[in-house]
């Protein structure tokens, strides 16, 4: 794992722990360089402080904040535009600068549905794919550092079979027809990470986001699940794979 780099791009503080906390903890323990870019919430806010503690638990360095406002919470970045409203050109340039600084082999972000549909997540997914490609061109954003081409982007998702089995566990029945569900068909999963050994660290990092725990937000689903289902979700991470080099040797896992 000599000089292997892993960069996660997330919309909000807490997503780094919920969606990619196992990968971050595991790769850090294996000696990789790990980092997280968070698109919303500004320096000095409560949630930026919580992010700092979460990243310390996961071994992912200091926060890298783009500092834009959450789509639904103007107080997340007073006086700054919503992440969704920032000109794409500006946001790509700022993310390219982080990619060229971290020089990751692999970039992680949400799947195309934003893992469960939040508009900031969908936007972060699109921004990450655009920036991961742009970062490799010396003609683009020359002021943002030396070109760097990540070898693959992995998109955090959940196999549909797992989503359906947890739906049944919580609601006692199959999802209704037409229900928009998170996740992708099982045969589209490109990587499965067993992170059971890091589930405790991941859970601790999630709880560093005290204001969200208090609100019940990201933990609502997990805490409502029966213990075996919660352990399954905390101990496993699934990703779709997008290759940028055709280099099949660089894989997550
Ligand atoms: Zn989020």
């Amino acid at each position: 794992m000599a000089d292997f780099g892993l960069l996660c791009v997330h919309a909000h503080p807490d997503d780094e722990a919920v969606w990619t906390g196992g990968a971050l903890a595991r790769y850090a323990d294996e000696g990789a360089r790990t980092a997280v870019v968070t698109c919303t919430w500004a320096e000095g806010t409560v949630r930026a402080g919580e992010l700092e503690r979460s990243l310390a638990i996961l071994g992912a360095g200091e926060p890298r904040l783009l500092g834009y406002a959450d789509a639904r919470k103007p107080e997340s970045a007073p006086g700054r535009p919503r992440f969704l409203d920032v000109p794409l050109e500006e946001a790509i340039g700022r993310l390219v600068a982080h990619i060229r600084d971290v020089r990751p082999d692999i970039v992680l972000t949400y799947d195309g549905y934003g893992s469960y549909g939040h508009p900031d997540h969908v936007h972060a997914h699109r921004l990450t794919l655009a920036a991961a490609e742009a970062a490799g061109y010396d003609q683009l954003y020359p002021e943002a550092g030396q070109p760097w081409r990540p070898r693959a982007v992995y998109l955090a998702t959940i196999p549909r079979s797992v989503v359906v089995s947890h739906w049944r566990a919580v609601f006692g029945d199959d999802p209704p027809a037409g229900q928009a569900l998170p996740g992708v068909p099982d045969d589209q999963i490109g990587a499965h990470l067993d992170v059971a050994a890091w589930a405790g660290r991941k859970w601790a990092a999630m709880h560093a986001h005290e204001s969200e725990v208090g609100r019940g937000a990201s933990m609502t689903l997990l805490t409502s699940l029966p213990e075996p289902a919660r352990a399954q979700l905390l101990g496993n991470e699934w990703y779709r794979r997008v290759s940028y080099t055709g280099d099949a040797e660089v894989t997550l896992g």
Side-chain angles (χ1 to χ4, degrees):
M1 202 57 62
D3 203 38
F4 188 91
L6 183 76
L7 173 67
C8 297
V9 182
H10 285 293
H12 312 114
D14 83 353
D15 289 317
E16 78 290 341
V18 173
W19 292 100
T20 56
L24 282 167
R26 175 174 154 179
Y27 272 79
D29 280 0
E30 290 173 356
R33 296 175 292 108
T34 58
V36 174
V37 171
T38 307
C39 301
T40 70
W41 290 81
E43 226 170 300
T45 58
V46 169
R47 289 193 57 188
E50 294 170 346
L51 174 66
E52 193 174 347
R53 288 192 284 284
S54 169
L55 295 180
I57 292 167
L58 298 171
E62 294 296 311
R64 293 169 174 267
L65 299 167
L66 298 190
Y68 298 124
D70 182 304
R72 297 159 180 164
K73 294 171 187 146
E75 72 277 14
S76 58
R80 298 292 311 279
R82 296 193 322 158
F83 175 43
L84 288 179
D85 299 334
V86 176
L88 196 56
E89 195 62 20
E90 176 195 316
I92 292 176
R94 293 193 57 207
L95 185 51
V96 162
H98 285 286
I99 291 170
R100 290 176 179 170
D101 185 43
V102 175
R103 301 164 65 87
D105 294 274
I106 287 179
V107 175
L108 305 183
T109 188
Y110 316 91
D111 70 17
Y113 184 50
S115 299
Y116 67 88
H118 192 298
D120 283 339
H121 291 198
V122 174
H123 196 60
H125 159 87
R126 294 170 179 167
L127 175 65
T128 302
L129 291 190
E133 175 66 10
Y137 295 85
D138 58 6
Q139 310 94 318
L140 295 175
Y141 308 102
E143 72 292 349
Q146 293 296 313
W148 178 261
R149 191 172 295 287
R151 297 202 254 182
V153 178
Y154 279 84
L155 311 175
T157 191
I158 304 177
R160 184 60 49 75
S161 65
V162 172
V163 173
V164 171
S165 76
H166 292 323
W167 185 287
R168 288 190 190 122
V170 171
F171 300 108
D173 206 351
D174 282 340
Q179 173 73 40
L181 294 173
V184 297
D186 294 25
D187 62 2
Q188 293 180 22
I189 298 293
H192 166 231
L193 281 192
D194 179 349
V195 294
W198 291 270
R201 285 254 295 284
K202 187 173 170 177
W203 191 238
M206 287 167 68
H207 281 82
H209 296 278
E210 286 170 28
S211 60
E212 286 297 277
V213 176
R215 204 164 69 82
S218 57
M219 257 61 87
T220 307
L221 170 73
L222 280 169
T223 50
S224 69
L225 288 172
E227 171 54 28
R230 181 163 59 244
Q232 185 198 23
L233 283 180
L234 284 173
N236 294 279
E237 290 177 2
W238 299 272
Y239 298 89
R240 272 177 45 69
R241 181 177 203 271
V242 181
S243 175
Y244 278 75
T245 60
D247 179 356
E249 286 171 19
V250 178
T251 53
L252 189 70

